[in-house]
Amino acid sequence: MAKKFVRAIFPGSFDPITNGHLDVISRGMKLFDELIIAVGKSPIKNQLFTPEERVEMIEENIRQRKMQGVSVESFDGLTVEYARNKKADVILRGLRSLTDVQYEFQLAMTNRAVAGIETIFIMTSEQYGFTSSTLIREVASLGGDLSNLIPKNVQQRLQQRFKSRIPGETGG
Ligand code: ADP
């Protein structure tokens, strides 16, 4: 029997992409024929980078790492709608901790109930278990060294974004 072609989407805010996300992507690309990283244009979240900037940073990493079968784009609206338009077979999500499980479980159940789409989870490497985009934004705004947790191009963009601010200054 011929093997089925499996297309997955990896949706998220990616504001900005971290080594934790990249770890999930490099594991995911071995499991699926095609993996589309889908940058959500969520209007609710407090965003540091525009969707275009977030896509650009991810694109640079895909190119540099020569990731086969991986692409990136942004999307509006419901993830399940986007998944349907893309004819995706599964949604990929990453797990860091038990706290993630509770929220992700609910999300996956909802997506399956409303759209019949399955979610596949990949657990991160131990060293990225505590890495989140929110923390990265906070530490970067205070001038902290994040070289182990984010790719080089993200580090440079964060430095540019915060360079006008003096460490210790809270802004406002
Ligand atoms: P969202 O706002 O949709 O949670 P994120 O960009 O924060 O978007 O995360 C996208 C996905 O990547 C989520 O499934 C999240 O749990 C996962 N993720 C985020 N950080 C990590 C990490 N360090 N290791 C593994 N998975 C992660």
Side-chain angles (χ1 to χ4, degrees), residues 10-24 38 40 42 45 54 79 92-97 100 103-104 107 121-125 127-134 137 149:
F10 181 32
S13 315
F14 303 103
D15 187 29
I17 188 153
T18 68
N19 286 349
H21 292 129
L22 283 164
D23 183 51
V24 170
S42 164
K45 286 200 173 180
R54 287 180 262 152
T79 303
L92 171 66
R93 295 284 286 178
L95 287 179
R96 282 163 294 196
S97 61
D100 271 355
Y103 170 70
E104 293 291 340
L107 195 64
F121 297 101
I122 289 184
M123 276 166 60
T124 189
S125 300
Q127 74 259 42
Y128 305 128
F130 55 91
T131 307
S132 75
S133 299
T134 310
R137 293 196 300 271
L149 303 178

